[in-house]
Each structure stands twice: as C-alpha cells, then as structure tokens.
Amino acid sequence: MIKGLAAATVWSTDQERDLRFFTEKLGFEVRGDVTTGGARWITVGVKGRPGTELRLVRTDGPGIDPESAEVLTRLVGKGVLGVGVLWTDDCRAAYEELRARGVEFLQEPQERPYGTEAVFRDESGNRYSLTERRGSGPAPSREWSEVCD
C-alpha cells in the first residue's frame, strides 16, 4: 500500500546554483548529494521536517535525449512548469522574508478561496505557490507546513 510521497522532481538547469537557492534563500536542508555514473543526485527538504524531498534533476541529465533536454530546458526557463505548493502559517510574513533574501515573486500575496497565496520562481524558472491555508481545505502535510523556520 502506498504510504505517501517520498520525492518530487524539480528540473534544474544548474544544480549548484539551484542548491544554493534552496538552502540559502528558502532555508531548506540538504538531504542527499551523491555523484555516481556521471550524474549528481541532490535532494533537499524543509529543515527539521523529515519526509518529502525535492530532487534537483538536470534538464539534460542521464536518460534524457538531446532533443527532449532542449525542449525541457526551454520550458523550465520560460516558467511554464509548476512544482507545487509550499505551505506556510503566514503567507505575508513568509513573502516579505523570502523577498528580502532575493526570491523572485511573480505574484504578491493575494486572497484566494483556499487561502492567501503568493507565487515565486526558482533560479531555473520553476514556479511555486506559497500558500497559507484557510477554512476546510485539505490539511497541509507536516513537512511542508513551515517553509521559513
């Protein structure tokens, strides 16, 4: 039986730069960083919250043919791909803190039917929703509930 989500892919056009983004700007911790067979496997997660990890995967990495790598790199750079939702208890405060750390926001905090949401992108171009949940929507998983400790 499936017990939960272990890892999600974040497409990276520069793993070292994106690793700095997640650790220095978002405050995530490195969960794994292994080089094997010419590939670097990096995982990060919310500090102090074991569980779901984000895998920083190169858009031109092993198993991706050159044509697909070119298309994937272009789509990521255009900001077409969204990774997911990062939960926070205070969207406006998290927005201000992350913006001060240099995170590029595409949308300031706005009220939505499900809560307060701001949208940002990482250094490769992937989009994320930073959301403070309201009302009876689905409960955030524990590991995503505090983006900024």
Side-chain angles (χ1 to χ4, degrees), residues 3 29 59 79 92 107 113 136:
K3 304 268 186 194
E29 64 186 5
T59 55
R92 293 181 192 288
Q107 173 195 297
S136 61

Side-chain angles (χ1 to χ4, degrees), residues 45-122:
V46 175
K47 195 175 284 185
R49 301 280 188 174
T52 307
E53 298 177 344
L54 297 179
R55 293 176 43 233
L56 307 182
V57 179
R58 290 179 50 105
T59 55
D60 63 351
I64 302 173
D65 64 86
E67 181 182 349
S68 297
E70 181 182 328
V71 170
L72 183 56
T73 300
R74 194 169 49 242
L75 288 173
V76 169
K78 285 176 71 172
V80 174
L81 303 177
V83 173
V85 177
L86 301 177
W87 294 103
T88 182
D89 291 334
D90 186 338
C91 184
R92 293 181 192 288
Y95 166 80
E96 291 298 336
E97 183 177 346
L98 293 176
R99 203 171 69 126
R101 291 183 192 171
V103 174
E104 176 190 350
F105 277 85
L106 304 173
Q107 173 195 297
E108 293 180 4
Q110 295 183 8
E111 296 305 314
R112 303 281 188 220
Y114 46 84
T116 306
E117 176 190 51
V119 178
F120 68 91
R121 56 188 280 161
D122 64 23

Side-chain angles (χ1 to χ4, degrees), residues 115-142:
T116 306
E117 176 190 51
V119 178
F120 68 91
R121 56 188 280 161
D122 64 23
E123 307 283 331
S124 286
N126 299 292
R127 289 179 296 112
Y128 302 80
S129 169
L130 177 64
T131 302
E132 175 185 343
R133 186 177 73 104
R134 171 184 29 258
S136 61
S141 61
R142 287 187 51 124

